[in-house]
Amino acid sequence: MESKVTRQRTLSMYGKVLLLYNGNAGQKEVEDVLEVITGILVSHTDEFILKRTEYKGHAEEICRDRGEEMDLVCILGGDGTVHECVNGLADLETPPLTAILPGGTCNDFSRSLGIPQNIKKAAEVIIEGSTAKVDLLKANRRWVSNFVGMGLITTASENIDAQLKGTFGRLSYYLSAFKTIREAKPFRYSLKLPDKSITDQAVMILAANGNYIGTSQLPALHDKLDDGKMNFFVLREAGLSLLRNFLQSKDLNEWDRENPAFDFAEAEEVEISTEEPMKLDMDGEVYEQTPVKITIHRERMTFIKGEIN
């Protein structure tokens, strides 16, 4: 479904604007949210187009097909919807300015951009017009805005009950993680960084571009999204008890970087292989599998930003 409103340019700060929203969300809730957003944005655009996604991958197709004709693409949805849209936009020769309107459970990448989690305030940030050029990861064939993970984090994503997620929101992630920890099994991996190679065992490996996972702030080695570096974490089996503590405190900054149960590093590129192919969690959705080559692409897209701490 698509609809549009056209206004005179003399009133506008944006020309052609596309707002994508998740067609699987509750109809009444979406209508209420869209009313708030359009009430704020429409008077600041020449042409405002609403487009509802109808199936998985649809947002990616729309962004790839129509992204270059837009001055601004607004994404109303969670991290999975953002992931789809980024994969439709990042390969374009000139990706449009992009804004995230948080409509999911965790909205982690929007938090890294300093976007308010209140939808009205998030829409107002778009009108303020502050922008940031942002790095993206590429993991094999897919673009990634927030993180790529394997092991425990992937199992936790697959363990989430969809109905529970809709009812309890981010609490469902913590409940899933608790269940996953009890079942966690170490896996053997080989890791190749530009300056060294490592072969060892882990229960989780995480390459992060953003600063939040499950609404909790990561123990940042850097806090910028445009420095050409990813944060890289390896969790060994000995760190599971510490991870339980984290889930109870919900503060990743309490992780001790000097603890031998963890490895932390910054990197521009990493290659990971495992004895058996392992599924990869990308921005909260499971795509592809090992082996994987992850590279950072500096300032690949421009996003609307809020106040970044």
Side-chain angles (χ1 to χ4, degrees):
M1 182 186 75
E2 179 179 309
S3 61
K4 66 181 181 180
V5 177
T6 303
R7 306 188 64 85
Q8 297 192 10
R9 179 171 287 281
T10 54
L11 298 176
S12 306
M13 66 179 294
Y14 297 111
K16 197 170 185 178
V17 176
L18 172 65
L19 171 59
L20 283 160
Y21 65 98
N22 191 339
N24 292 326
Q27 185 66 29
K28 181 63 169 67
E29 181 182 358
V30 168
E31 288 176 357
D32 291 344
V33 169
L34 289 176
E35 183 177 357
V36 171
I37 295 169
T38 55
I40 294 170
L41 296 184
V42 164
S43 62
H44 296 271
T45 68
D46 288 344
E47 186 176 344
F48 190 85
I49 300 168
L50 287 175
K51 185 72 176 175
R52 182 182 67 193
T53 64
E54 298 176 0
Y55 48 84
K56 186 173 182 179
H58 194 199
E60 186 173 335
E61 293 173 9
I62 296 168
C63 286
R64 183 176 293 110
D65 292 343
R66 305 194 61 179
E68 285 189 317
E69 68 184 84
M70 301 298 163
D71 296 296
L72 172 68
V73 172
C74 299
I75 306 166
L76 173 59
D79 294 303
T81 305
V82 172
H83 178 87
E84 281 197 23
C85 291
V86 163
N87 274 273
L89 296 172
D91 277 326
L92 299 177
E93 185 174 345
T94 308
L97 177 63
T98 304
I100 301 174
L101 292 156
T105 304
C106 294
N107 309 306
D108 285 325
F109 193 61
S110 73
R111 295 175 192 272
S112 293
L113 290 166
I115 302 300
Q117 298 304 291
N118 174 279
I119 203 70
K120 179 175 182 292
K121 292 180 179 178
E124 290 169 349
V125 165
I126 296 175
I127 301 308
E128 292 169 7
S130 294
T131 66
K133 291 184 177 180
V134 170
D135 300 341
L136 293 177
L137 301 178
K138 196 162 193 183
N140 291 344
R141 296 169 296 176
R142 295 199 67 81
W143 292 99
V144 176
S145 57
N146 199 41
F147 76 89
V148 182
M150 66 189 72
L152 187 148
I153 194 166
T154 305
T155 308
S157 291
E158 293 186 311
N159 279 344
I160 293 172
D161 181 273
Q163 184 174 354
L164 188 65
K165 180 178 177 181
T167 304
F168 293 103
R170 66 186 185 184
L171 175 61
S172 64
Y173 284 89
Y174 294 114
L175 294 174
S176 175
F178 274 122
K179 176 184 177 183
T180 302
I181 286 173
R182 292 196 299 268
E183 301 169 355
K185 295 179 180 179
F187 58 90
R188 195 157 187 83
Y189 70 91
S190 293
L191 174 71
K192 183 179 179 182
L193 293 163
D195 59 344
K196 62 180 177 180
S197 297
I198 302 169
T199 299
D200 204 347
Q201 285 192 332
V203 292
M204 182 177 74
I205 297 177
L206 180 71
N209 184 47
N211 299 321
Y212 288 84
I213 298 287
T215 75
S216 295
Q217 192 166 5
L218 289 165
L221 302 177
H222 64 84
D223 57 3
K224 296 181 179 180
L225 298 176
D226 62 352
D227 62 356
K229 302 283 187 181
M230 71 181 92
N231 281 339
F232 195 73
F233 307 86
V234 176
L235 173 65
R236 299 186 181 90
E237 189 174 14
L240 287 174
S241 61
L242 298 178
L243 186 57
R244 290 189 191 95
N245 292 337
F246 147 66
L247 290 169
Q248 291 165 347
S249 68
K250 299 180 179 59
D251 184 2
L252 275 168
N253 279 305
E254 293 182 3
W255 286 18
D256 177 8
R257 296 181 198 170
E258 303 304 318
N259 192 300
F262 304 93
D263 274 336
F264 295 88
E266 286 183 303
E268 299 174 359
E269 179 179 300
V270 63
E271 294 182 49
I272 308 168
S273 60
T274 53
E275 288 185 339
E276 299 292 334
M278 295 186 67
K279 295 179 181 178
L280 299 172
D281 186 336
M282 301 181 180
D283 297 334
E285 302 288 333
V286 178
Y287 291 92
E288 300 219 10
Q289 62 184 19
T290 56
V292 60
K293 181 178 182 179
I294 307 170
T295 53
I296 193 92
H297 292 253
R298 193 163 190 180
E299 298 184 350
R300 186 69 194 105
M301 287 180 60
T302 304
F303 284 84
I304 293 288
K305 73 176 182 69
E307 298 262 348
I308 300 176
N309 296 328

